[in-house]
Amino acid sequence: MSFVSGLLRGGVAAIGLLLALVVIVTPLDANDQAMLAVGGIVVFIVLNRFPGKRFTVVLAMLSCVVSLRYLHWRVADTLDPESFWQGFFMIGLVLAEAYAVLALLLGYFQTLWPLERRPASMPDDTAEWPTVDVFIPTYNEDLEIVRPTVLAALAMDWPRDKLKIWILDDGRRPAFRDFAEECGCGYMVRPDNKGAKAGNLNHAMAHTDGDYIAIFDCDHVPTRAFLQMTLGWMLRDPQLGMLQTPHHFYSLDPFERNLSNGRDVPNEGLMFYGLVQPGNDLWNATFFCGSCAVLRREALEQIGGVPTETVTEDCHASLRMQRMGWNTAYLRVPLAAGLATERLIIHIGQRMRWARGMLQIMRVDNPLFGPGLSLPQRLCYFSAMFHFLFAMPRVVFLSAPLAFLLLGHSVIAASPLAIVAYAGPHIFHAVATGSRVAGGVRHSFWSEIYETVLALWLLPVTLATLLDPKKGKFNVTEKGGLLPEGYFDWRAVWPSAVLAGLLMAGVGSGIYGVIANPWGSLESQAFLLNGIWATLCLVPTLASVAAGRERRQLRARARVDVELPAVLTLPDGHKIDARTQDLSLGGAGLVLAEKRSVAADTAVTLELPLGQETLAIPATVRRLEGGEAQLLFRPATVEEEATIVRAVFGRADAWLSWDQHRPDRPLRSLVEVVATMGSVFTGRSQLSFAWWRARRQRRDELRRPVAPVAAPERRTEVLAPRSAAPTRAGLAVLALLLAAAPAM
C-alpha cells in the first residue's frame, strides 16, 4: 500500500510540475496577462484566509510560479538592446532579478517548515553528566562588559567539579587576570594573536580536556539553565557535533533606536534566529554562529579545530563538521543575551565582516561541491552565503530607473502595461506570501531599509572578496559605548544620501517628461512608470538616511523590562511588598504596595525570590516617594556583583518573550516605513551645521592611534579555575522550561 501511495503522490507531483511549467512559459499579451494576474491575486486572498502550514506551502508554490513566469517573460521577451550601454543596463537588471527570484526560492525552502525542537532532559544522576569547558574569548573589550558574562557562567546550574570557566584574553591584560583570580575562573593567554578569535579558541582547546565546549562572546551573558537545556541533546545523539541557541540582544540596535521610534518592529536578527535557523534544523543544516553554542570536543578535533582561513570561522566550522558526518541542531530558546551594536557605522562594519567571511567560504569551500553533504544541506549553506551577494542586485534595483530618467536608456523593452501586468503580481505575491511565512519575525519593507543602508558599503567588499577571497581580517565589534549627545552620522549614510539626491533628480526628470510629452503617449507612460519606480526607490533610500540620526545614549547599563515579585527592606527593618518594573546591572525600578517617602542615598535591601532561593541585593535609594522607587546597586564585593548578575541575566526564563511582536500587516508596515523618511527633515539640530564640529572631533578620535595592549612577556599562561563545592542543579527550573517549550 505504501508503494502505491508513494507512486500516486509522485504522479500528482509530476503533473503539478508539468502544469506549473505550462503556466510559466505560456506567452500572453498584456491584457490577458493582466487578467491572469488578477486571478492569481484573488486565489491568494481566498487561500490566505485558511490557517495552517499546508496552505502556506500552497501559497509559496503559487508565489514561485508567478515569480518564475515573470523571470521567463523578462528573459524571453524584454531583452532587445539597441546599444552597448542599453544592453549593459538591461542585462544587469535581469541578472539582479534572477538573483532575487533564486533567493526567494531558497528562502521558501529554508523557512516553510521550521523544526520546533524541544529541549532534551538530562539524566537524573548528575554523576552521568559530562565535563564542560566554557570559553569566553576577549581581545580589546572593556572589563566591565566581560565581568557579567563570567559571573553568570560561574553561576550556571552544573556540578562544579564538571565545569570550568575560562577567560581567553588575547589582549593579555593584568586586570583581567586579577579578576579571574578574584572570582575563581580560569584565565589563559597565548604568545601571539594568530588566527584571531579562531586561533584563541584553538589554543584553549589544546590546554583543556572537557568533553564539551560552550562558547560565549564576552558580552553574551548566559542564563543559569544554559547547559541543562542544551547538553541533553548532545547526550541523546552521539553524532551531534554542535547545538546552537539564539543570539538575543537586550539593548537596542541602531535601527531599533534610530528608526522604529517606539513602534513594535522585530529587530534585524530575529528573522535568522527566529525562522531561518529552525528551518535549517529541519534539514540538519544548522550553522554555528560563534557564541551561545555547545560543541562536542571530538567533532572539533576531527575537523582540525576552528577554521582560520576565513573571518566567519563559526559557520565554516559547522560546515566542516557536517562534511565529516556530524549532525548539528538548533534550540529556539534564548538562553543568553548580549549587547547589540550601538552605532550605525559599527553595525555596518560588523556586517561587512560577515559578508566578507561568508563569501570567502563560498569561494574556498563552496557547499554546493565537495563530499559529505546532502542536497538540502548544500542548499541551506549555499543560501546563507548567496544572501551576502545582495549588495550588487540591491544597488541595481535602486539605480535602474535612473538609466532611463537621467541617461535615456530604457531597461525593459516592453510596454508600461505589460511591465505592470507581469511585475505587479510577482511583487504582490512575494510580499504577501513573505508576510504570511515570516510575519512574526520580520515586518514587510523594513528589510528594504536594512539592505539599502548596507548595500552601498558592502558593494566594494563583495567585489573584492569574489576576486580575492584571501583579503580581509577579523575585526572585533565594539560594544558598550555611550553617546552624551545625539548627532547625525553623515559618515555612515553619505552613500545613501548621494543616491537619494540622484533619485530626486530622476523623479524631477520623470515629472518633466510626463508634462512635456502628450498625455497617453508611450513616452509619457514611460516617464510616468519610471518616475513612480524612482519614487518607490526613494522611500527606503531616504529611510536609510534617517537611520543615521544617532540618538544619545546616556545609560551605561541597559534596562531590562521585567515584572518580578520583590520585597524592599528599609533601614528600620520594615518590609514593603513590591513589583519590579525594570532591572539593570546598575539598579531597579519598583512599584510598591504601600506609599512611603525615604530620603535619597538611604541604604536598603532588595529581595527577589527566584525559585527555591531569595536573592538579597544591597542598594541605595535614588528616589522613593509615593508608590514608586528607583534604586541604585552598589556592589562592594564580587559576590554581591554576581548576585546582581544572577537577578538580571541569570534567570532561566529571562528572555522567553524575545519573539513576541505584533503580526505583520504589509500596508501598515509600508506606511510606517514612509513615515521614517520624515526623520530626515525633522530635528533642526540634526541637519544644521552644528554637527560639523562634533563630527570633526569624532573623526580625529577615530584616527588617533590606539596603543597596543600587551603583557610584558608574550607567552602562554594558563591560570586554572579554583575548585568549588558542587552546586545543586536547577532541575525544577529545567522541568518548567521543558513544559513551556513548543512540541517538537
Side-chain angles (χ1 to χ4, degrees):
M1 177 64 71
S2 60
F3 174 77
V4 174
S5 61
L7 189 63
L8 182 61
R9 285 196 296 269
V12 172
I15 294 173
L17 289 174
L18 181 61
L19 291 175
L21 181 62
V22 171
V23 173
I24 291 170
V25 303
T26 300
L28 294 174
D29 62 29
N31 291 321
D32 291 338
Q33 171 60 28
M35 295 298 296
L36 181 63
V38 171
I41 293 173
V42 171
V43 170
F44 174 89
I45 293 173
V46 172
L47 294 181
N48 193 44
R49 299 178 64 86
F50 296 93
K53 290 184 178 179
R54 298 186 185 278
F55 283 97
T56 301
V57 171
V58 171
L59 290 174
M61 293 172 61
L62 176 61
S63 174
C64 292
V65 170
V66 171
S67 294
L68 289 172
R69 175 171 174 79
Y70 169 73
L71 186 60
H72 176 268
W73 171 75
R74 287 285 285 115
V75 173
D77 295 346
T78 66
L79 297 179
D80 188 18
E82 298 178 353
S83 66
F84 169 81
W85 285 111
Q86 186 179 32
F88 175 81
F89 292 129
M90 279 186 170
I91 294 174
L93 180 58
V94 165
L95 290 176
E97 290 175 316
Y99 167 90
V101 171
L102 181 54
L104 182 72
L105 301 185
L106 290 171
Y108 286 150
F109 175 78
Q110 283 183 286
T111 60
L112 278 179
W113 212 280
L115 180 63
E116 298 175 352
R117 184 187 296 268
R118 291 187 60 183
S121 59
M122 296 292 298
D124 294 334
D125 185 1
T126 57
E128 300 178 20
W129 293 15
T131 57
V132 181
D133 287 309
V134 176
F135 291 167
I136 302 173
T138 177
Y139 172 56
N140 60 358
E141 299 85 356
D142 193 277
L143 180 58
E144 293 304 310
I145 293 177
V146 182
R147 292 174 72 100
T149 302
V150 174
L151 296 175
L154 287 166
M156 287 192 292
D157 287 327
W158 202 259
R160 295 254 67 82
D161 59 334
K162 295 176 178 287
L163 178 65
K164 295 180 180 179
I165 314 299
W166 297 93
I167 298 176
L168 312 182
D169 183 18
D170 253 8
R172 295 173 287 278
R173 292 156 292 182
F176 279 68
R177 189 190 191 283
D178 295 342
F179 169 66
E181 194 166 10
E182 180 184 14
C183 68
C185 76
Y187 177 78
M188 198 178 302
V189 299
R190 55 185 179 136
D192 55 52
N193 296 92
K194 291 182 179 179
K197 178 181 176 181
N200 198 4
L201 295 172
N202 291 335
H203 174 266
M205 282 180 58
H207 291 82
T208 55
D209 57 5
D211 300 322
Y212 296 92
I213 297 171
I215 299 175
F216 297 98
D217 282 346
C218 64
D219 64 302
H220 283 176
V221 187
T223 66
R224 58 184 294 184
F226 182 91
L227 293 177
Q228 289 192 39
M229 294 282 282
T230 55
L231 266 295
W233 275 107
M234 290 292 191
L235 299 180
R236 176 183 293 191
D237 181 2
Q239 283 300 112
L240 186 60
M242 186 278 302
L243 186 138
Q244 179 70 54
T245 67
H247 288 192
H248 173 62
F249 300 101
Y250 60 89
S251 63
L252 299 179
D253 68 27
F255 293 103
E256 292 177 291
R257 187 178 60 255
N258 299 345
L259 283 183
S260 61
N261 197 24
R263 303 182 185 95
D264 183 16
V265 179
N267 64 53
E268 183 189 8
L270 188 56
M271 175 70 180
F272 179 74
Y273 290 107
L275 186 60
V276 174
Q277 280 281 55
N280 291 337
D281 197 18
L282 178 70
W283 305 111
N284 185 24
T286 299
F287 314 146
F288 174 37
C289 300
S291 179
C292 308
V294 176
L295 299 95
R296 191 182 300 267
R297 179 180 292 271
E298 180 186 355
L300 266 179
E301 291 176 342
Q302 188 172 347
I303 65 170
V306 182
T308 58
E309 295 91 335
T310 65
V311 297
T312 47
E313 75 294 329
D314 40 19
C315 181
H316 204 179
S318 58
L319 175 61
R320 286 189 173 178
M321 282 184 186
Q322 302 210 275
R323 287 199 187 281
M324 300 294 292
W326 292 97
N327 300 327
T328 61
Y330 181 70
L331 185 63
R332 194 185 182 277
V333 180
L335 298 171
L339 290 168
T341 51
E342 283 91 1
R343 307 287 175 269
L344 182 60
I345 193 67
I346 299 173
H347 188 88
I348 292 170
Q350 182 188 64
R351 274 19 181 207
M352 290 170 69
R353 175 172 64 84
W354 291 2
R356 177 181 287 114
M358 297 301 278
L359 295 177
Q360 283 176 331
I361 299 175
M362 190 170 72
R363 281 292 315 275
V364 304
D365 195 9
N366 196 303
L368 292 179
F369 311 104
L373 299 181
S374 66
L375 178 60
Q377 288 175 323
R378 295 176 192 273
L379 293 177
C380 289
Y381 275 98
F382 177 73
S383 177
M385 298 159 197
F386 187 68
H387 163 75
F388 281 99
L389 291 171
F390 75 84
M392 293 187 290
R394 173 62 59 185
V395 171
V396 170
F397 289 138
L398 292 172
S399 60
L402 301 180
F404 177 80
L405 295 172
L406 299 183
L407 302 178
H409 296 296
S410 177
V411 293
I412 303 178
S415 68
L417 176 60
I419 294 173
V420 172
Y422 278 92
H426 159 62
I427 296 172
F428 172 85
H429 285 275
V431 171
T433 306
S435 177
R436 178 177 173 117
V437 173
V441 296
R442 170 63 58 85
H443 285 180
S444 302
F445 305 110
W446 284 91
S447 60
E448 310 296 317
I449 303 177
Y450 306 150
E451 292 192 1
T452 300
V453 171
L454 298 174
L456 295 167
W457 285 98
L458 293 186
L459 183 60
V461 173
T462 300
L463 295 174
T465 306
L466 290 176
L467 294 173
D468 185 0
K470 295 181 180 180
K471 284 188 175 181
K473 62 179 181 178
F474 187 93
N475 294 311
V476 177
T477 302
E478 181 183 342
K479 298 285 185 70
L482 296 179
L483 187 62
E485 295 295 335
Y487 68 99
F488 202 96
D489 192 354
W490 286 104
R491 177 167 168 254
V493 300
W494 72 263
S496 296
V498 171
L499 178 59
L502 292 174
L503 287 169
M504 288 180 181
V507 172
S509 174
I511 295 173
Y512 175 81
V514 171
I515 296 174
N517 291 281
W519 179 251
S521 65
L522 287 178
E523 292 79 5
S524 176
Q525 293 180 30
F527 274 104
L528 177 62
L529 183 61
N530 281 278
I532 294 173
W533 185 357
T535 303
L536 294 175
C537 293
L538 191 58
V539 172
T541 305
L542 282 177
S544 70
V545 174
R549 184 184 177 185
E550 296 285 6
R551 303 178 187 275
R552 65 178 185 168
Q553 174 63 34
L554 300 178
R555 295 186 180 277
R557 309 288 193 175
R559 289 181 176 182
V560 177
D561 294 330
V562 58
E563 292 188 4
L564 296 173
V567 175
L568 184 65
T569 303
L570 301 181
D572 60 2
H574 181 70
K575 295 181 180 293
I576 303 176
D577 290 332
R579 184 184 74 251
T580 64
Q581 289 182 309
D582 55 69
L583 288 172
S584 76
L585 294 176
L590 305 177
V591 176
L592 306 178
E594 60 181 83
K595 295 183 178 180
R596 292 290 293 264
S597 293
V598 176
D601 297 327
T602 301
V604 296
T605 301
L606 177 64
E607 298 179 4
L608 296 174
L610 297 178
Q612 299 177 353
E613 63 179 335
T614 298
L615 302 181
I617 304 174
T620 58
V621 173
R622 181 180 181 184
R623 182 181 64 85
L624 195 160
E625 43 183 49
E628 295 186 352
Q630 294 290 331
L631 306 182
L632 294 177
F633 298 150
R634 301 190 186 278
T637 65
V638 70
E639 289 78 13
E640 291 179 354
E641 183 181 356
T643 300
I644 296 171
V645 171
R646 290 173 61 194
V648 179
F649 297 112
R651 293 172 289 108
D653 60 347
W655 315 114
L656 293 184
S657 61
W658 71 303
D659 60 348
Q660 294 179 7
H661 294 278
R662 59 180 179 170
D664 178 37
R665 293 181 181 175
L667 290 179
R668 179 184 63 194
S669 293
L670 180 60
V671 171
E672 291 176 346
V673 167
V674 172
T676 63
M677 293 192 305
S679 300
V680 180
F681 306 104
T682 58
R684 181 179 177 183
S685 62
Q686 301 296 335
L687 287 179
S688 70
F689 286 96
W691 57 267
W692 184 264
R693 184 167 56 253
R695 176 184 180 275
R696 184 172 54 189
Q697 180 179 353
R698 287 191 300 274
R699 181 191 60 194
D700 294 341
E701 290 175 354
L702 288 171
R703 290 180 175 178
R704 186 179 301 130
V706 178
V709 180
E713 296 182 56
R714 298 177 68 86
R715 57 188 174 84
T716 296
E717 179 181 5
V718 179
L719 174 66
R722 289 201 304 264
S723 60
T727 57
R728 182 180 68 252
L731 293 176
V733 174
L734 178 61
L736 175 64
L737 291 176
L738 286 171
M744 179 176 173

